Amino acid sequence: QVELVESGGGLVQAGGSLRLSCAASGRTFSRYVMAWFRQAPGKEREFVASISRSGGTTYLTDSVKGRFTISRDNAKNTVYLQMNSLKPEDTAVYYCAASAGVAGNRGRFTEYDYWGRGTQVSVSS
């Protein structure tokens, strides 16, 4: 089992920035593909970003490209989501997820084995 704990959420005005962190337990963090998902009120959970085991490959959903960056520090068992130029439509609960091995589509939540409890991001106009 892997435990994931998100932090860094909060309230920010449009155009502002936040950095989310996800701390993972265990000594095998580098074996996991990591991802961020988000869920806004009344909407389904959606893929935001993912990063490969070594951190060499990243994927971002179209709506956040150019604004968000995902990174990881395997020495610290932590994955980050840097969010710049935030928009009200970014408002959601953001979840960290881990996968021992993505077999299909990395953007599908069913590919991930472990989830954090989420952190709220609210962006005001």
Side-chain angles (χ1 to χ4, degrees):
Q1 295 285 328
V2 175
E3 292 188 354
L4 305 173
V5 180
E6 303 97 334
S7 62
L11 175 64
V12 65
Q13 290 188 334
S17 298
L18 286 172
R19 188 180 74 163
L20 305 184
S21 298
C22 174
S25 65
R27 298 188 295 271
T28 59
F29 177 73
S30 63
R31 298 181 185 178
Y32 293 91
V33 174
M34 301 298 297
W36 290 94
F37 287 76
R38 66 186 180 186
Q39 188 165 22
K43 295 185 177 181
E44 296 182 350
R45 180 169 31 180
E46 68 170 338
F47 171 80
V48 177
S50 68
I51 188 166
S52 63
R53 294 172 177 84
S54 67
T57 304
T58 62
Y59 296 89
L60 297 168
T61 194
D62 287 345
S63 63
V64 306
K65 287 181 179 177
R67 300 189 298 120
F68 290 11
T69 302
I70 186 171
S71 62
R72 68 191 295 164
D73 186 340
N74 287 345
K76 296 182 178 180
N77 279 21
T78 303
V79 62
Y80 304 95
L81 185 67
Q82 178 67 47
M83 305 184 294
N84 299 326
S85 301
L86 283 162
K87 304 175 181 179
E89 50 263 45
D90 295 318
T91 295
V93 176
Y94 284 70
Y95 297 93
C96 178
S99 175
V102 175
N105 189 336
R106 62 180 57 80
R108 295 173 179 171
F109 72 88
T110 52
E111 295 284 354
Y112 297 88
D113 307 294
Y114 305 103
W115 294 84
R117 293 182 177 181
T119 186
Q120 177 71 49
V121 172
S122 299
V123 185
S124 62
S125 300

